[in-house]
Amino acid sequence: MPQMNMVSAIQDGLRLEMAQDERVVVMGEDVGALGGVFRVTAGLQKEFGQERVIDTPLSETGIVGTAIGMALNGLRPVPEIQFGDFIYPAVDQLISEASKYRYRSGGEFACPIVVRVPVGGGIRGGHYHSQSPESMFIHTAGLKVVCPSNPFDAKGLLLAAIRDNDPVLFFEPKRVYRALKTEVPEGDYEVELSSCKIVREGTDVTVLAWGAMLLEALSAAEEVRSKDISAEVIDLRTLWPLDVGVIADSVRKTGRLVVVHEAPKTCGFGSELISLVCEKAFVHLEAPPRRVTGWDTPFPYTLENEYLPLAHRIVPALIETARF
Amino acid sequence: MIYLTPRPEHGPNGEGPGAAGHVMSVLDESGRPDPKTDPQLDLALVKRMYVAMARARSIDQRLTRLQRQGRIGFHVGAEGEEAAIVASAAAMRPQDWLFPCYREVAAALWRGLPLQAYIDNMYGNANDLPLGRQMPDHITGRDVHFASVTAPIGTQITQAVGFSWAGKLRQLDQVTGVYFGDGATSANDFHAGMNFAGVYKTPTVFLLRNNGWAISVPSSNQSACERYADKAIGYGIPAVRCDGNDALAVYKVVDSAVRRAAAGGGPTLVELLTYRLGPHTTSDDPTVYRDKGAVTEAEMRDPIPRLRKYLAGKGAWSEADQQRLDEEVAHDLQQAITRAEEAPAPSIESMFEDVYERVPGHLHEQQAECVAGPRAHKRH
Ligand SMILES: Cc1ncc(C[n+]2csc(CCOP(=O)(O)OP(=O)(O)O)c2C)c(N)n1
Ligand SMILES: [Mg+2]
């Protein structure tokens, strides 16, 4: 099986689906000749032509609004937003339109678009190239939100997302893009949407993470092993709709919960995850659930490693929660 | 398709409904002025503009090297666009304001931002005015009437219109210039800003740096409008096209737009035709998407040698002057870089400040937790 990084795995998924489904079009700023600023779409325009790999004008509302229109007329657009931080000009189209089209039309129309969005910090990008905007989209009924942590899941989730009939926000952790290679099957496969994965089994504390922070959670879990703490790490993979059963079962087993995310703490997805666990497994909790997150400040440039909830901040949270 | 400077036509100052076909120009490629359009600027002023342009070029080259050496994280250069940036800033009056995109640091330096402040920003150190919170080249310059640089494309355009509108409502003698690129004309804020400025006749000068590219997208694919200046027609705003690599022409058209705005005549869209000689930023590799030939061709229209030839022709610039300038810039830069590299990183505490006017309770708590907490292993 070939080894791929996340950039190649996503590209492989796009290439595969474009070859077998001519309704799929890729569009966005610089996705054509350049192949995207992260080179995820490199080579696709050469292969599939300018009508299927489209360099658009610089307008996120233009990109998402026209993608919705294309989807309404039978295509399967996969628009790219160059950085998650620049998705805001398109939020009207996402929050007021894509999310509600099915509902407001009584199911007459659907918006099968997959908006690919590089997100997250750790690339020295300051506030406008580092943010993690998942919460606002999870909060919007009608959108699916996906965030893979590794190349294998990235390709499989992307294929599942493109074939899904609802609008999907596909968040790609930039920090992971070229950070690791894993085995990625060459052909077709899907990773089911709304399926969490227990990536490390443990008995003392459940750790929830996704995207780039999954790796941090894993290295923290490894580090606390020497302190006789056995952490169970769950990769959410799809943030919404959530596979809450796996999470609740895990907490019933461990009795303890730590959630890790890059986005600011307040109204971050961690708040929702902890509420859900309290609703479903309160009597099993043996310690207050903990959040290890970005601070409630804009994302800073120089001090980004103090901002991010990296392993050095996860470790003490695991120890304190396990020993509470 | 690659943007090519049309052979500049002679014409009136240019303002009118839309841009007509005129491209204001003064200097030809060998730096000879056209007597019909020459604004006869004071040579001392031209010399100052030249020095600022040449300094900007040297600074860009040095910063690019520092980035390659890993000493700074990132740089946005403006090579080739120095006349568009410096001469437009030079035509603004001291009481006027500039709202920048991210490529106009030279305009802030022209207005008096100290070089050290800029270099500290490039290092994001404790002496950086925004305390290392923003990426390099994202400066802020209230003292020199220069708004804080942002990355989201176009947002400064509506803000600049509001700023100039407030100036009008407050009856201040103040004009606001706003820089943005050809790519930004596709953004919502360009349309909203132009529309408001037209409706309220705000004293705004829209400085459209048409450098031929928005990262990899050529300006010919960004819009079906052949002349970007024509976009002004739809908003009832006069426009002028100008050879943006011709400092004297840029000064002339911006000066007249500023005067018109100050006299209550409302906004102008100034399209500055220039060319991005370098990569979009140090993160970009333009060889993937553009021909070397186009760049070589554009280098022939480099604004800096052109203005130098003009000055030399007037006996106002010599080889010795050039050598002195190069040495001076190298020295000033070295000094600023050394100081910036010696400065510490911003304090952890500072990360939690300026989110609000006063640090609220929840941030106090987080600040204390972060200060006391385990430190990242990685150095910043
Ligand atoms: C809203 C938004 N979308 C995308 C980007 C990413 N981006 C940064 S610069 C740029 C191109 C801008 O081109 P132009 O306006 O012509 O300015 P230039 O860089 O040529 O000076 C893009 C797409 C951004 N900064 N903001
Ligand atoms: Mg441009």
Side-chain angles (χ1 to χ4, degrees):
Chain A
M1 224 183 277
Q3 294 271 323
M4 290 187 198
N5 64 24
M6 190 182 276
V7 168
S8 318
I10 295 170
Q11 187 183 110
D12 196 50
L14 284 171
R15 181 175 286 113
L16 182 113
E17 199 62 357
M18 290 190 80
Q20 59 192 25
D21 183 350
E22 60 183 22
R23 298 171 303 166
V24 177
V25 294
V26 163
M27 58 199 292
E29 294 155 10
D30 305 288
V31 298
L34 177 59
V37 297
F38 295 102
R39 316 302 314 282
V40 172
T41 57
L44 295 181
Q45 191 178 64
K46 251 201 186 115
E47 205 170 327
F48 298 102
Q50 294 188 359
E51 301 211 318
R52 292 187 67 200
V53 181
I54 307 164
D55 269 329
T56 66
L58 202 169
S59 168
E60 287 72 16
T61 187
I63 293 165
V64 175
T66 56
I68 291 172
M70 289 179 179
L72 295 172
N73 200 10
L75 298 184
R76 294 254 155 185
V78 185
E80 175 182 292
I81 298 295
Q82 198 163 86
F83 283 86
D85 314 76
F86 305 135
I87 200 169
Y88 301 105
V91 294
D92 202 15
Q93 287 293 343
L94 288 166
I95 290 185
S96 300
E97 299 300 321
S99 67
K100 296 172 179 61
Y101 230 111
R102 180 187 295 284
Y103 194 73
R104 78 180 192 219
S105 66
E108 255 194 345
F109 296 100
C111 293
I113 60 174
V114 178
V115 187
R116 290 186 38 253
V117 191
V119 296
I123 62 153
R124 292 183 69 80
H127 8 284
Y128 298 116
H129 301 82
S130 307
Q131 298 169 91
S132 297
E134 65 270 5
S135 281
M136 66 190 296
F137 299 106
I138 296 169
H139 189 62
T140 302
L143 299 176
K144 295 186 174 175
V145 180
V146 172
C147 186
S149 69
N150 62 72
F152 175 89
D153 286 348
K155 178 176 167 184
L157 286 166
L158 180 71
L159 289 171
I162 297 175
R163 294 163 191 173
D164 194 87
N165 286 326
D166 287 314
V168 178
L169 279 147
F170 194 86
F171 289 131
E172 300 170 4
K174 305 189 280 284
R175 189 186 166 92
V176 179
Y177 264 158
R178 295 176 189 278
L180 79 157
K181 283 188 175 180
T182 60
E183 291 199 335
V184 175
E186 241 162 323
D188 199 341
Y189 69 96
E190 287 185 25
V191 170
E192 196 187 339
L193 297 184
S194 296
S195 66
C196 294
K197 187 175 181 195
I198 298 173
V199 289
R200 180 188 174 108
E201 291 199 21
T203 51
D204 298 334
V205 53
T206 300
V207 189
L208 303 182
W210 58 90
M213 290 307 105
L214 197 265
L215 293 172
E216 297 295 322
L218 281 173
S219 75
E222 183 58 32
E223 212 171 314
V224 297
R225 208 164 60 121
S226 63
K227 303 227 177 333
D228 265 342
I229 295 169
S230 155
E232 174 147 301
V233 181
I234 302 182
D235 182 352
L236 262 44
R237 305 199 295 190
T238 295
L239 308 188
W240 205 258
L242 184 70
D243 184 6
V244 72
V246 172
I247 296 168
D249 285 346
S250 172
V251 176
R252 282 186 200 109
K253 178 175 72 178
T254 62
R256 294 160 205 268
L257 174 66
V258 172
V259 184
V260 183
H261 61 68
E262 290 186 37
K265 182 175 184 180
T266 301
C267 289
F269 191 39
S271 319
E272 186 59 40
L273 290 167
I274 289 172
S275 300
L276 283 168
V277 165
C278 287
E279 285 168 5
K280 300 205 182 283
F282 187 76
V283 295
H284 298 271
L285 284 172
E286 289 166 47
R290 266 292 275 274
R291 287 175 279 177
V292 188
T293 66
W295 308 108
D296 286 335
T297 73
F299 196 107
Y301 173 73
T302 303
L303 296 176
E304 77 171 336
N305 287 327
E306 303 295 346
Y307 180 89
L308 287 167
L310 303 179
H312 70 277
R313 283 176 55 205
I314 304 171
V315 167
L318 292 183
I319 297 171
E320 284 161 30
T321 305
R323 296 192 178 150
F324 181 82
Chain B
M1 213 194 73
I2 307 296
Y3 148 74
L4 301 172
T5 307
R7 190 71 208 104
E9 296 164 34
H10 299 153
N13 219 347
E15 298 92 339
H22 299 295
V23 174
M24 168 56 67
S25 85
V26 175
L27 297 176
D28 68 13
E29 274 156 30
S30 53
R32 270 190 305 270
D34 180 336
K36 290 203 285 288
T37 55
D38 189 352
Q40 307 275 354
L41 296 184
D42 177 30
L43 266 188
L45 169 66
V46 180
K47 212 158 142 173
R48 273 182 62 215
M49 291 200 287
Y50 173 75
V51 167
M53 287 163 55
R55 277 177 77 94
R57 178 71 57 94
S58 304
I59 293 169
D60 268 344
Q61 290 171 344
R62 185 72 205 270
L63 290 173
T64 300
R65 282 203 302 279
L66 290 179
Q67 195 278 336
R68 295 283 177 256
Q69 293 161 357
R71 289 159 73 184
I72 57 174
F74 172 83
H75 176 51
V76 195
E79 289 182 47
E81 302 180 50
E82 292 90 347
I85 294 163
V86 169
S88 54
M92 307 294 294
R93 305 163 305 167
Q95 72 267 37
D96 297 333
W97 273 75
L98 285 173
F99 275 61
C101 153
Y102 40 68
R103 218 182 279 285
E104 297 93 8
V105 171
L109 294 171
W110 172 270
R111 291 191 68 91
L113 183 85
L115 180 64
Q116 188 67 54
Y118 175 41
I119 301 301
D120 284 332
N121 172 265
M122 295 307 298
Y123 280 86
N125 63 28
N127 298 333
D128 173 31
L129 216 145
L131 291 159
R133 291 176 185 137
Q134 285 239 65
M135 284 180 84
D137 285 302
H138 289 55
I139 55 172
T140 186
R142 190 180 183 93
D143 288 351
V144 299
H145 290 197
F146 194 87
S148 154
V149 172
T150 186
I153 293 292
T155 48
Q156 78 278 16
I157 302 174
T158 39
Q159 294 162 11
V161 171
F163 194 93
S164 53
W165 190 5
K168 181 176 172 176
L169 294 173
R170 294 174 60 201
Q171 300 184 327
L172 304 176
D173 177 20
Q174 177 191 71
V175 173
T176 305
V178 57
Y179 290 105
F180 53 94
D182 41 300
T185 63
S186 296
N188 291 359
D189 284 282
F190 171 74
H191 302 288
M194 290 284 285
N195 193 36
F196 274 57
V199 170
Y200 298 105
K201 282 207 173 321
T202 60
T204 319
V205 182
F206 293 88
L207 298 163
L208 194 182
R209 271 188 306 98
N210 186 348
N211 63 4
W213 297 91
I215 308 186
S216 71
V217 178
S219 53
S220 52
N221 292 358
Q222 185 69 237
S223 170
C225 199
E226 199 182 311
R227 296 183 294 245
Y228 277 61
D230 288 346
K231 290 172 185 285
I233 298 169
Y235 303 103
I237 292 181
V240 53
R241 301 180 90 206
C242 172
D243 181 344
N245 286 3
D246 174 344
L248 302 186
V250 172
Y251 186 94
K252 181 173 163 149
V253 297
V254 176
D255 176 65
S256 92
V258 169
R259 285 170 199 273
R260 227 173 60 79
T268 307
L269 173 65
V270 178
E271 182 184 1
L272 300 167
L273 295 161
T274 179
Y275 195 87
R276 196 194 78 208
L277 291 177
H280 171 64
T281 67
T282 49
S283 310
D284 179 39
D285 174 12
T287 60
V288 177
Y289 56 81
R290 76 177 179 185
D291 279 355
K292 251 208 147 86
V295 181
T296 316
E297 209 255 323
E299 277 167 352
M300 315 264 288
R301 297 189 306 273
D302 190 326
I304 293 178
R306 210 196 280 193
L307 196 58
R308 181 167 59 231
K309 285 177 203 155
Y310 170 82
L311 284 170
K314 298 266 181 193
W317 194 258
S318 66
E319 277 300 315
D321 290 329
Q322 186 64 41
Q323 201 178 335
R324 211 171 311 122
L325 174 64
D326 292 344
E327 281 164 15
E328 186 188 292
V329 187
H331 171 266
D332 293 354
L333 265 172
Q334 191 47 56
Q335 192 172 43
I337 289 165
T338 305
R339 282 196 193 142
E341 290 186 344
E342 281 166 359
S347 70
I348 307 275
E349 285 87 342
S350 72
M351 185 161 59
F352 299 87
E353 290 159 6
D354 297 324
V355 182
Y356 303 95
E357 185 176 11
R358 288 186 194 81
V359 179
H362 75 284
L363 279 183
H364 256 308
E365 257 177 47
Q366 293 185 16
Q367 187 181 42
E369 185 187 335
C370 186
V371 168
R375 285 280 73 81
H377 304 304
K378 288 174 194 148
R379 274 168 27 107
H380 1 86

